[in-house]
Amino acid sequence: IEMAFEPGYDPALNLADHGIKSRSHESSSTAGVDWASDVRRQEQDVIDEIVHGMRHGHYILLMGSKGVGKTTMILDAMRRVEADGVAICEAHEDLEVFRLRLGKALNYEYNEDSQTGLFQRRDPREGGPRLDIERGKLYSPTLNKLEKVALKMAAKRKKDKQPLVLVINNCQLFNDDEESHQLLQQLQQKAESWAESHLVTVVFSSDDFWPYPLLRKIANRMHVISVKDLRGLESLAALRHLRQQHFGKSEDDSVLMEVLKTSGGRLSRLNTLSREKNILEATEHMLNNEKGWLLSVIGLIPDCDDDVME
């Protein structure tokens, strides 16, 4: 587990960096550049301070719509310190899958036998993946073991006095049911105690709103950061910058403003449109796709009865 917080280990950051290197071979104009990290948001300074361990004594709930750049900001902050003292784990609706992902993020080696499950019958006293995550068995990651490692590493990092950082990304992927609620509250209880002791800073990231009222019930040290779409001149400057990156030039601001009237300031959409040669045609195509999706999820009832109001 200690190795998971060493510089240069994190698998998620290595995967993201591989994508940047792959794109650098496609175009010299985008060599070594991540499309969203180069468009620096106002919230990036705060995210940097959190991930770098400069802000401690509380845990974070990072909220914002899909595609606004939450994960990209976290990975960009991790990249600046080579993931030193930081681990990130993706949530999943299946808690068993989340248990495995947490083990990978914490570099926890599973000690399972390989006899095709012959000796892997679970103890009836076990309570499923939630209790595995909490107390742990020989084959499961555990918050208790992470706490012991954090205490051990705190002595080594005593000069910097920086806590470890654990990011639980995409919490909206958990099912909105009782079992997932219990898991989130279990993680929150640990986050509260770790924040009080300045040991580990936990960052919850979510695209949806439902985790907020759940976590708010027992929150004492939780800080909420809301990430929104770019506005006005920020979105115009971002789109102009992305066009210059991909093609070495940009259209007139009047053309870009027409695009922004339809696309808005969502970074993921700006990135998609900025890669297209004919940006106006791509914008119209995106609009038609959104209209088609909207019509597929709603039903329009024609007015066939003239006497309905009578």
Side-chain angles (χ1 to χ4, degrees):
I1 294 180
E2 289 186 42
M3 188 180 297
F5 295 95
E6 294 294 328
Y9 167 78
D10 196 88
L13 182 59
N14 294 336
L15 186 62
D17 288 341
H18 177 73
I20 297 176
K21 294 176 182 178
S22 299
R23 290 194 298 269
S24 67
H25 293 294
E26 299 176 1
S27 173
S28 59
S29 61
T30 59
V33 176
D34 187 7
W35 63 269
S37 62
D38 200 51
V39 180
R40 188 174 180 85
R41 299 183 57 105
Q42 294 180 352
E43 298 88 351
Q44 185 67 61
D45 293 334
V46 178
I47 301 299
D48 286 348
E49 292 179 357
I50 295 170
V51 173
H52 300 169
M54 300 171 62
R55 291 195 177 195
H56 43 79
H58 52 260
Y59 58 100
I60 308 298
L61 175 59
L62 188 62
M63 300 183 64
S65 301
K66 178 182 178 181
V68 296
K70 300 185 300 299
T71 303
T72 304
M73 287 193 295
I74 293 173
L75 292 176
D76 187 45
M78 294 173 61
R79 190 176 293 113
R80 296 176 190 277
V81 293
E82 297 182 345
D84 184 15
V86 189
I88 183 171
C89 176
E90 291 286 336
H92 195 273
E93 60 182 3
D94 190 334
L95 299 187
E96 286 287 351
V97 176
F98 174 68
R99 181 176 70 89
L100 296 175
R101 289 183 176 180
L102 184 60
K104 180 181 178 181
L106 297 179
N107 191 36
Y108 192 89
E109 291 291 339
Y110 297 106
N111 195 10
E112 299 175 334
D113 65 77
S114 59
Q115 302 299 321
T116 64
L118 181 61
F119 303 106
Q120 295 183 18
R121 183 174 63 86
R122 299 179 67 88
D123 192 311
R125 294 175 297 177
E126 294 183 11
R130 278 196 309 105
L131 290 184
D132 285 347
I133 292 171
E134 173 70 26
R135 68 192 181 194
K137 296 296 181 183
L138 291 178
Y139 51 83
S140 64
T142 170
L143 300 179
N144 291 333
K145 291 181 181 178
L146 173 59
E147 185 174 301
K148 293 179 181 178
V149 170
L151 288 170
K152 182 179 179 181
M153 296 185 67
K156 299 179 181 179
R157 301 163 64 93
K158 190 173 182 180
K159 295 181 180 179
D160 299 332
K161 296 182 180 180
Q162 295 178 350
L164 301 179
V165 179
L166 175 63
V167 181
I168 309 297
N169 199 30
N170 291 323
C171 289
Q172 80 282 350
L173 296 179
F174 289 128
N175 290 324
D176 191 4
D177 56 16
E178 183 178 358
E179 189 172 10
S180 296
H181 291 181
Q182 292 174 352
L183 172 62
L184 272 176
Q185 290 178 336
Q186 175 182 331
L187 293 171
Q188 184 186 18
Q189 288 175 349
K190 281 293 184 180
E192 287 275 354
S193 61
W194 290 342
E196 184 178 3
S197 61
H198 298 248
L199 194 63
V200 180
T201 299
V202 181
V203 179
F204 299 97
S205 175
S206 175
D207 294 351
D208 205 346
F209 182 75
W210 72 261
Y212 171 70
L214 175 68
L215 298 177
R216 189 176 182 273
K217 293 180 181 179
I218 60 173
N220 290 321
R221 296 178 175 270
M222 183 176 73
H223 284 198
V224 181
I225 300 177
S226 180
V227 183
K228 301 180 180 179
D229 293 337
L230 297 178
R231 298 180 180 179
L233 296 178
E234 287 183 340
S235 58
L236 178 61
L239 183 57
R240 186 191 305 119
H241 181 74
L242 291 172
R243 292 293 285 179
Q244 290 175 348
Q245 276 191 351
H246 298 315
F247 297 100
K249 60 180 180 179
S250 178
E251 291 81 0
D252 294 336
D253 287 355
S254 58
V255 177
L256 299 182
M257 288 301 297
E258 286 295 324
V259 174
L260 291 173
K261 287 180 181 179
T262 302
S263 67
R266 188 70 51 86
L267 272 176
S268 59
R269 292 177 180 171
L270 296 182
N271 172 57
T272 301
L273 295 175
S274 66
R275 294 175 180 272
E276 301 293 335
K277 292 183 178 180
N278 190 333
I279 192 171
L280 291 176
E281 182 179 340
T283 304
E284 186 67 23
H285 180 69
M286 182 190 71
L287 181 60
N288 291 333
N289 287 341
E290 294 294 329
K291 286 182 178 179
W293 173 82
L294 182 62
L295 292 176
S296 70
V297 296
I298 63 175
L300 299 178
I301 303 176
D303 186 8
C304 300
D305 190 355
D306 295 337
D307 299 331
V308 66
M309 298 304 298
E310 298 178 2

